[in-house]
Amino acid sequence: MCVILAHSHRSPDISPMNVLSEMEDEDCLKDVEINGHDIPSLPIMDANGHPVYCSTELPLELSGVPILADFGQMLPAERCTSDTLELIEGRNLFDPIDHINNQYVLPLALAQYIGYLGPPPLEMIQKSPLFSTYFDKQGNWASEPPIPQTSLEEFVTTISPGEEKDQFLRFIRKLLTWDPEVRATTNEIYPDEWLMRSHEDMW
């Protein structure tokens, strides 16, 4: 069984919560439904008086090619999502957090973005009062912290160097852009060569 949920937003949010897989055997769902009727779950009341029902563990066997499902989670263009590569690498690409004070630090975020994506377009810097605080008139980074020496090529370690990794990096760069106007739309990203690879050709 596979359910696809797709909303017509401009760019997809690729994260573990938005990836579905097929089930080997759907009969287990019928068993759960039958057992639910025969032995109804008794709720436990939480501290606020709300009922909490026990969940049922399913003996699932997943197979098939993972399917990108939900395009409904959106973020403002000024922010980059931190979970784009989490599904592949199991870690965040960006970490612009002051962990001592548990605060988001914009200059740290911008420095990390530049490290992976290069500097934002000069026109974008000149139009943004916020950006002008951190860049000079030529579009050069003029703030702290320094730009980290990073790259997407080095960050992606779970895909071996070669054709697939090259395709994957091209795919990611279509989504990770400063300018939302040049970011690949949902319709543009569907036929991407990396997404079209057969299951046998991946990893």
Side-chain angles (χ1 to χ4, degrees):
M1 178 181 71
C2 179
V3 180
I4 298 180
L5 305 173
H7 305 293
S8 298
H9 293 303
R10 180 168 180 82
S11 61
D13 173 25
I14 304 175
S15 64
M17 71 182 75
N18 291 339
V19 176
L20 303 181
S21 185
E22 293 179 305
M23 295 175 59
E24 288 282 359
D25 184 6
E26 298 181 28
D27 290 339
C28 65
L29 298 180
K30 297 178 182 178
D31 296 337
V32 171
E33 182 179 3
I34 294 173
N35 292 335
H37 285 295
D38 295 342
I39 309 175
S41 174
L42 296 177
I44 298 174
M45 308 305 288
D46 66 12
N48 297 317
H50 300 138
V52 178
Y53 291 86
C54 295
S55 59
T56 301
E57 183 176 355
L58 299 177
L60 297 181
E61 291 291 339
L62 302 180
S63 66
V65 178
I67 298 174
L68 191 58
D70 182 13
F71 296 88
Q73 294 189 2
M74 300 293 289
L75 289 174
E78 293 79 14
R79 295 173 55 194
C80 291
T81 176
S82 63
D83 55 11
T84 303
L85 294 176
E86 183 180 339
L87 181 65
I88 296 288
E89 291 296 316
R91 55 197 174 105
N92 290 337
L93 180 63
F94 303 114
D95 184 29
I97 303 298
D98 174 356
H99 292 283
I100 296 177
N101 299 306
N102 195 29
Q103 293 180 340
Y104 176 85
V105 182
L106 179 58
L108 179 58
L110 292 174
Q112 292 178 5
Y113 298 162
I114 295 172
Y116 285 111
L117 310 180
L122 180 59
E123 182 180 2
M124 181 179 291
I125 295 174
Q126 293 173 339
K127 288 182 177 180
S128 170
L130 178 64
F131 276 13
S132 64
T133 304
Y134 303 102
F135 297 87
D136 63 23
K137 294 182 179 180
Q138 289 72 42
N140 300 310
W141 179 247
S143 181
E144 294 290 339
I147 305 301
Q149 299 299 311
T150 56
S151 70
L152 290 174
E153 286 80 1
E154 293 178 353
F155 182 84
V156 177
T157 60
T158 57
I159 303 178
S160 300
E163 180 185 13
E164 184 189 355
K165 183 171 183 178
D166 293 340
Q167 290 178 350
F168 177 71
L169 291 173
R170 286 194 292 269
F171 165 73
I172 288 298
R173 287 191 170 101
K174 293 177 183 178
L175 302 175
L176 286 179
T177 65
W178 286 99
D179 188 349
E181 294 302 319
V182 301
R183 190 173 302 146
T185 65
T186 299
N187 289 334
E188 291 168 346
I189 208 65
Y190 274 143
D192 183 84
E193 58 182 350
W194 184 74
L195 291 178
M196 292 296 103
R197 290 181 69 93
S198 67
H199 185 257
E200 291 77 13
D201 293 337
M202 300 183 74
W203 292 289

